[in-house]
Amino acid sequence: EIVLTQSPGTLSLSPGERATLSCRASQTVSRSFIAWFQQRPGQTPRLLIFGASSRATGIPDRFTGSGSGTDFILSISRLEPEDFAVYYCQLYGTSRALTFGGGTRVEIK
Amino acid sequence: EVQLLESGGGLIQPGGSLRLSCVVSGITFNSYAMSWVRQAPGKGLEWVASISGSGLYTYYAGSVKGRLSISRDNTKTTLFLQMNTLTAEDTAVYYCSTGGYEEYFNYWGQGTLVTVSS
């Protein structure tokens, strides 16, 4: 079973700053079946990125996904107030476990 | 507009059973794999189970295999999760979502809360 480890656990930044979130897989992820989700307090998860780097419909271009193999990155170029939330990566390309990472909280510094 | 509406959650005693439903509209239901994802209070997301569009293939997290069962009725565009032998560790908000094996989780319901407590 592939385990996804997200780091850091919490990221303290100011609006306008750049955020870089990491998601590391315990084994090579084939065909980059990695997604990223945003979850604001009290809300449903929202798909941001699929296929490691494709933006979902309606997602602003300040959100960028990259990476391959075992290392994946979600970058937010300039943090807006509504971007302070918890972010999860997910592997969806294995039938054994469609695993989520433990999450990274992006909080206002 | 795509809508996923879960129901069936509530307070249940340890060892009890519960059946969750998720009615889906706005998509060609049988073209989508579907999944259940749960979130314990204050915790992260945990994938529970997925089912193919046809309903022929099902996949489960190890923590629920043998106790939880995913199914679907494509004629009623409804997804189900039968939950048996519940324990306190099953207490969570349960979300239904489109997506599964090799299909990203695009649309999500608002969730239904299951509380297992005596």
Side-chain angles (χ1 to χ4, degrees), chain A residues 18-21 36 49 60-66 73-78:
Chain A
R18 180 182 186 87
T20 302
L21 287 66
W36 289 91
I49 301 289
D61 60 8
R62 64 179 181 273
F63 291 92
T64 302
S66 62
I73 297 289
L74 175 69
S75 300
I76 312 171
S77 58
R78 298 170 308 279

Side-chain angles (χ1 to χ4, degrees), chain A residues 43-59:
Chain A
Q43 294 191 17
T44 294
R46 173 194 182 198
L47 177 69
L48 299 175
I49 301 289
F50 62 92
S53 60
S54 298
R55 233 173 268 115
T57 303
I59 302 304

Side-chain angles (χ1 to χ4, degrees), chain A residues 28-42:
Chain A
T28 297
V29 174
S30 61
R31 298 169 64 188
S32 297
F33 283 122
I34 289 287
W36 289 91
F37 297 87
Q38 176 194 67
Q39 189 176 32
R40 296 170 178 151

Side-chain angles (χ1 to χ4, degrees), chain B residues 14 17 48-49 53 56 62-63 78 98 102 112:
Chain B
S17 297
V48 173
L56 285 177
S63 59
T78 302
T98 60
E102 296 191 353
T112 186

